[in-house]
Amino acid sequence: MKPVKVGICGLGTVGGGTFNVLSRNAQEIARRAGREVIITQVACRRDNPNCDTSGTAVTRDVFDVARNPEVDIVVELIGGYEVAKELVLEAIKHGKHVVTANKALIAVHGNEIFAAAKAAGVTVSFEAAVAGGIPIIKTLREGLASNRIQWLAGIINGTGNFILTEMRDKGRAFEDVLKEAQALGYAEADPTFDVEGIDAAHKLTILSSIAYGIPLQFDKCFTEGITKIAREDVEYAEELGYRIKHLGISRRYANGIDLRVHPTLIPERNMIAKVDGVLNAVMTCGDAVGTTLSCGRGAGAEPTASSVIADIVDLVRSFDMPAHARVQALAFSELSDYRILPIEEVSSAYYLRMAAVDKAGVLAKIATILSEKGISIEALIQKEPAADATTAPVIMLTQQVQEKTMNEAISAIEALDVIQGKVTRIRVEQLN
Ligand code: HSE
């Protein structure tokens, strides 16, 4: 059979990994795909010293690849929004299939891109956009196709998990670990995307679309990063039998679906609490299968290349199928318009930490506010004030309550003259 010709746009961390794995495993990949897969052209701003491109045509202009009549599949690995979008639409216009690892592109412009691909009868694949090397898109779109998905939750940013793990286990400073994550090729070009939760929100947007069959709605995802997690919260959480993880969570309710990324206390006995370092993990709950957990490397050159190339192999296998017979981009032939719930309408349990003046009656005042709001306290710790401090840390776990009610309770607690500063609030999930 005729070989399939691939053009790779971008030869950075993921592009370089894809180039090398495709070259190294060419024979095995050909045996799986049923035809040879050849890298016909590479577009990059600068050469990658880890890649031997001597036998491959190299251009500095990514649009050369999109318009190259020889190329069957354009692999978009340049990242970012605008040029990547233009490139993918240009490739589609020229009748090419596209494989991308670009979560920002899919989360923000995916609806438009998939519509263009459908009209042109080509496929845009994006396994590598979520959770690096874990085949979670395939799992949700195909493996769990019989299920009504009820919820999903995941550690879906490798850099953030790596930072939290190193800070907790080795007491390392945030900035120092972030620098290492950048050197290892885990972090985004702009690492605020990792630490402020934007990257995880892109991925959660994609996961929820294919889990429930809804359009991509990144702008409705609630996002809170890891920069404000204090060492003491990590320690108090452990005292209470919990770990703090940065999670993307989405659940189906009678009146809609929530989409939220935030630091979360989860019971330490839960398997996902033990997922450390650059590893990612995604839990899904389907009505038929129950709970599943997929785990693996969430970032880095070759783990991400593994997913990019799996998409290429899948595409090659489906070349001779009519477009309507291929798996739909967002898993469903028809999308639903379920409402995305604003965070104020979402219910959760909470961890609260506050600095209380060390005198009689303070706890009673806090408890009164919570009880007036119908909020039950599940656990409470009051620490001794530190030497020469006038306040003592009070830590509590509450039962489930709507965010709006918790916001009102926190405002009332912060207004007490016996409370100093802001109340720290971290949501708590049992994930069972
Ligand atoms: N910066 C991302 C992460 C890369 O750390 O998870 C993989 O998407």
Side-chain angles (χ1 to χ4, degrees), residues 25-58:
N25 293 346
Q27 276 192 349
E28 197 76 350
I29 289 166
R31 284 209 303 135
R32 288 184 192 272
R35 342 180 170 178
E36 239 186 304
V37 177
I38 295 173
I39 305 169
T40 290
Q41 194 175 25
V42 167
C44 56
R45 272 187 306 201
R46 64 189 82 85
D47 298 335
N48 183 330
N50 300 319
C51 301
D52 176 8
T53 52
S54 52
T56 312
V58 177

Side-chain angles (χ1 to χ4, degrees), residues 166-330:
E166 291 286 306
M167 284 173 67
R168 191 196 68 221
D169 291 356
K170 301 183 190 153
R172 293 178 62 191
F174 185 97
E175 286 302 330
D176 171 42
V177 191
L178 174 57
K179 277 204 191 100
E180 190 182 344
Q182 288 175 296
L184 290 166
Y186 299 159
E188 295 302 294
D190 175 357
T192 54
F193 275 51
D194 296 293
V195 298
E196 294 302 349
I198 303 159
D199 177 74
H202 287 145
K203 294 165 177 168
L204 182 69
T205 300
I206 297 170
L207 285 179
S208 59
S209 283
I210 60 174
Y212 313 115
I214 54 173
L216 295 147
Q217 296 164 80
F218 169 69
D219 54 334
K220 297 194 181 138
C221 183
F222 173 81
T223 307
E224 212 178 82
I226 57 170
T227 45
K228 292 191 192 79
I229 297 178
R231 177 141 206 96
E232 55 201 307
D233 292 319
V234 173
E235 284 162 11
Y236 297 144
E238 292 196 2
E239 227 175 280
L240 291 159
Y242 289 82
R243 288 274 171 90
I244 300 181
K245 289 289 181 189
H246 197 211
L247 291 189
I249 302 172
S250 174
R251 198 179 291 270
R252 192 200 290 262
Y253 303 89
N255 61 343
I257 286 167
D258 66 355
L259 276 184
R260 49 196 171 107
V261 170
H262 50 69
T264 314
L265 263 76
I266 43 181
E268 66 189 0
R269 62 175 183 281
N270 194 311
M271 281 204 289
I272 201 168
K274 301 176 188 15
V275 173
D276 285 333
V278 74
L279 291 181
N280 279 194
V282 180
M283 290 179 81
T284 61
C285 182
D287 63 342
V289 71
T291 306
T292 66
L293 176 72
S294 308
C295 182
R297 282 177 173 263
E302 295 207 356
T304 314
S306 163
S307 288
V308 170
I309 298 166
D311 271 349
I312 296 174
V313 172
D314 244 11
L315 261 174
V316 175
R317 285 170 173 155
S318 71
F319 260 15
D320 301 326
M321 282 183 181
H324 72 265
R326 299 186 201 130
V327 181
Q328 300 296 315
L330 293 179

